[in-house]
């Protein structure tokens, strides 16, 4: 074995090193219980070892008393530090502390009265065994599951210490001061307790602290996740609570504006309406952003024919650009038959957000989508998609903050908005493994771009799909419709078939567009805010326009026999009934380009709630938007019907308009009987027939329809 004197000094050096390591551990884990006290354990052990080493140079009784007192004190500090760390200072520690005091008293007495050295070593060994057993109990009982790695280190070294000291207690022979340093058992215990144990203890404490930090991080992560869930629940709940009074504000302001004869009221009403709509947009955007935090779903990748998909998306966006008289174009620099696997819903939302922003901030000039191939291999292409506008541009110092939530550029503050569009876009791109790049020059415009890797899809699927088409595509269509919900659904359906759409929201703008543009077909709502569809057709017969031979399709839910006869007498080619069905719309558009006889029949299930209606909406809206549409209608339906009761006598014209909008929305959402009942009431008002109990019956019918809808919702949640 090593020379015992050398082991003493090596032990002292090791204790000094352990003190330094424990100090560094404490600096990193200042708030962790026990780490500060743990610094003093090797420090006291160091002074204890030095006291034993100086045994021959100072008074024997004094040096032995000091050394043993320090040794036992170090043991108590060690046990107390571990107990504090594990938060287990209780009866077990009190028993250990009492036993240490009981053993310390006879040991000091024996040292002063020069009792047998073997007896004194036996008492010291018993105290070391008691310390090791107590700590083993703590780690096996309380720490093993929470701190597996640190516990392994401590259990290993404590087991070695119990074994060594038990062996020395049982097997060590009689010794005296002269033979102590040469005894093998003494050298072994000094080597283990003075050199090996400090290394294990320092390593073990470092692992314990790391595992505690990891636990804290996991707890913080769980708390953050719960906070996100609570925030999402709060936002979804409060949004519905906000939307209800918002609907009341919007409706009341519009009623006042329509009814008031004082021109001074109009600007105030418009200000109220614009403010309410801005607040509604803010609620929607906040919910979209919050949902990104809540949802961590996997990417839903599917095979997409990229050029056709982009063209359809541009057809959907072009009416927005045309309303601002902007030049909107797509520059496509990929292979014509390129087909990729991608999460088209997320990619679609990203492009819509970027193009919508560009159109919003560009008052004149153009908005362009540029798609080009950066690199390719056999299975993957790197594509850059850019949205380029000729807007006012963005300050350089503002660009770096634009993807932060609720941050807007100077132009954004002037135009209004939530400051969430680019934040949502940036988060979606992160999910797709990309990032948003922004380049801008004041007065010249901005470019928003991102690079994305897409896996190459199966081109054969594209060829088969082209061969299977048996309907007309690529028509120039004029859509005349005032209801936003019907606008979006119709545009989505027609964009799928590559039709080019222009939008008119009233009869006057429809006539102007037909005078300036030629269309292949016109979809005409028969009940518009300013004049009826019938009046539009009558006015067109009296003026020159470019669509004398263009087929017109009635786009309406008013399908009584008398109304159908009237439509046909005015030259209507076919009728696209509401609620809108894609197959019927597709067939009517195809038939309009041939001599096919019109199919006027509209199938509508006689039911309180048609659960298939939501499937139509899902093809045009995401789940959150569908939920929002239903919630808004359900929350406001009764109030609007009561409002119609109040208007039936005083303002019949406004009552008819409200009934028409409610009936169209009800039918589109699947409330068939209720929607048809409202259409009958609307027809009675138009024919100046008495309503009697019609509106009261409609209220009862609405309650029955609502119960059926809620039953369906509950069944979906189970």
């Amino acid at each position: 074995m090593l020379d015992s004197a050398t082991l003493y000094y090596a032990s002292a050096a090791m204790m000094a090193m352990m003190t330094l390591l424990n100090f560094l551990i404490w600096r990193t884990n200042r708030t962790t219980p026990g780490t500060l006290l743990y610094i003093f354990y090797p420090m006291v052990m160091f002074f204890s070892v030095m006291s034993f080493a100086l045994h021959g140079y100072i008074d024997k009784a004094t040096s032995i008393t000091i050394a043993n007192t320090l040794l036992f004190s170090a043991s108590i500090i060690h046990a107390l530090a571990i107990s504090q760390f594990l938060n287990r200072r209780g009866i077990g520690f009190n028993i250990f502390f009492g036993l240490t005091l009981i053993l310390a008293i006879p040991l000091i007495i024996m040292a002063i009265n020069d009792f047998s050295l073997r007896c004194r070593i036996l008492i010291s060994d018993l105290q070391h065994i008691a310390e090791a057993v107590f700590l083993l109990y703590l780690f096996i009982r309380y720490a093993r599951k929470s701190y597996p790695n640190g516990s392994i280190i401590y259990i290993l070294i404590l087991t070695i210490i119990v074994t060594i000291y038990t062996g020395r207690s049982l097997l060590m022979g009689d010794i005296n001061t002269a033979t102590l340093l040469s005894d093998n058992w003494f050298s072994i215990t000094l080597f283990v307790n003075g050199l090996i144990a400090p290394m294990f203890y320092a390593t073990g404490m470092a692992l314990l602290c790391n595992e505690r930090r990891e636990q804290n991080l996991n707890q913080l992560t769980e708390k953050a996740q719960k906070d996100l869930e609570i925030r999402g629940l709060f936002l979804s709940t409060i949004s519905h609570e906000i939307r209800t009074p918002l609907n009341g504000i919007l409706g009341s302001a519009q009623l006042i504006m329509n009814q008031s004869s004082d021109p001074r009221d109009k600007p105030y009403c418009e200000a109220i309406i614009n403010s309410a709509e801005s607040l509604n947009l803010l609620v929607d955007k906040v919910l979209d952003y919050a949902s990104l935090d809540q949802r961590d779903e996997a990417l839903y990748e599917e095979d997409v024919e990229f050029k056709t998909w982009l063209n359809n998306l541009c057809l959907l966006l072009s009416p927005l650009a045309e309303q601002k008289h902007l030049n909107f174009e797509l520059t496509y620099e990929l292979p014509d038959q390129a087909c990729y696997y991608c999460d088209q819903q997320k990619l679609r939302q990203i492009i819509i957000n970027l193009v919508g922003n560009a159109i919003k901030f560009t008052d004149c000039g153009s908005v362009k989508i540029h798609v080009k191939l950066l690199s390719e291999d056999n299975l993957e292409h790197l594509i850059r998609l850019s949205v380029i506008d000729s807007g006012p541009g963005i300050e350089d110092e503002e660009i770096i903050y634009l993807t932060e939530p609720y941050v807007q550029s100077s132009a954004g503050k002037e135009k209004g908005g939530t400051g969430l569009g680019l934040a949502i876009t940036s988060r979606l791109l992160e999910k797709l493994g990309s990032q948003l790049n922004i380049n801008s020059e004041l007065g010249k415009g901005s470019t928003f771009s991102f690079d994305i890797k897409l896996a190459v899809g199966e081109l054969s699927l594209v060829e088969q799909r082209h061969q299977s088409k048996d309907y007309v595509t690529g028509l120039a269509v004029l859509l005349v419709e005032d209801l936003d919900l019907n606008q979006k659904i119709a545009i989505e359906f027609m964009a799928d078939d590559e039709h080019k759409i222009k939008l008119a929201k009233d009869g006057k703008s429809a006539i102007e567009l037909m005078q300036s543009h030629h269309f292949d077909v016109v979809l005409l709502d028969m009940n518009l805010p300013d004049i009826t569809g019938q009046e539009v057709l009558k006015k067109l017969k009296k003026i020159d326009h470019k669509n004398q031979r263009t087929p017109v399709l009635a786009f309406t839910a008013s399908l009584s026999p008398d109304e159908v006869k009237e439509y046909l007498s005015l030259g209507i080619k076919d009728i696209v009934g509401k609620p809108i069905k894609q197959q019927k719309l597709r067939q009517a558009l195809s038939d309009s380009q041939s001599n096919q006889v019109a199919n006027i029949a509209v199938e509508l299930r006689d039911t309180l709630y048609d659960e298939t209606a939501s499937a139509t909406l899902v093809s045009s809206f995401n789940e959150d938007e569908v939920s929002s549409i239903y919630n808004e209608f359900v929350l406001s339906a009764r109030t609007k019907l009561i409002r119609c009761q109040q208007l039936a006598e005083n303002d019949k014209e406004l009552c008819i308009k409200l009934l028409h909008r409610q009936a169209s929305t009800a039918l589109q959402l699947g409330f068939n009987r209720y929607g048809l009942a409202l259409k009958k009431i609307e027809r009675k008002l138009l024919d100046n027939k008495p309503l009697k109990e019609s509106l009261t019956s409609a209220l009862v019918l609405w309650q029955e329809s609502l119960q059926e809808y809620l039953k369906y919702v509950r069944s979906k949640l189970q």
Side-chain angles (χ1 to χ4, degrees), residues 206-258:
L207 288 172
L208 288 175
C209 289
N210 283 340
E211 287 175 307
R212 175 168 286 223
R213 279 201 303 274
E214 186 177 346
Q215 288 177 12
N216 290 338
L217 287 173
N218 289 338
Q219 290 173 358
L220 289 173
T221 302
E222 289 177 8
K223 184 178 182 301
Q225 188 61 38
K226 287 180 181 177
D227 288 345
L228 283 174
E229 291 173 2
I230 292 170
R231 184 177 72 179
L233 180 61
F234 168 77
L235 287 171
S236 61
T237 303
I238 202 68
S239 69
H240 300 320
E241 297 299 323
I242 291 172
R243 282 192 177 110
T244 302
L246 268 180
N247 289 333
I249 293 169
L250 279 166
S252 300
Q254 289 169 5
L255 288 174
I256 294 169
M257 187 168 65
N258 291 333

Side-chain angles (χ1 to χ4, degrees), residues 295-304 309 340-348 428 431-432 452 454-455 618 623:
R295 294 196 299 247
D296 192 25
E297 76 275 16
L299 295 179
Y300 181 70
E301 295 185 326
E302 49 190 325
D303 206 1
V304 177
W309 181 79
Y340 299 110
Y341 285 106
C342 64
D343 190 327
Q344 62 170 315
Q345 292 301 323
K346 288 185 175 62
L347 200 56
R348 179 178 181 274
L428 287 170
K431 291 179 180 287
L432 297 179
I452 185 168
L454 298 176
V618 168
E623 289 184 5

Side-chain angles (χ1 to χ4, degrees), residues 549-560:
R549 296 185 179 182
T550 299
V552 178
L553 309 181
F555 194 43
T556 182
S558 301
L559 296 168
S560 68

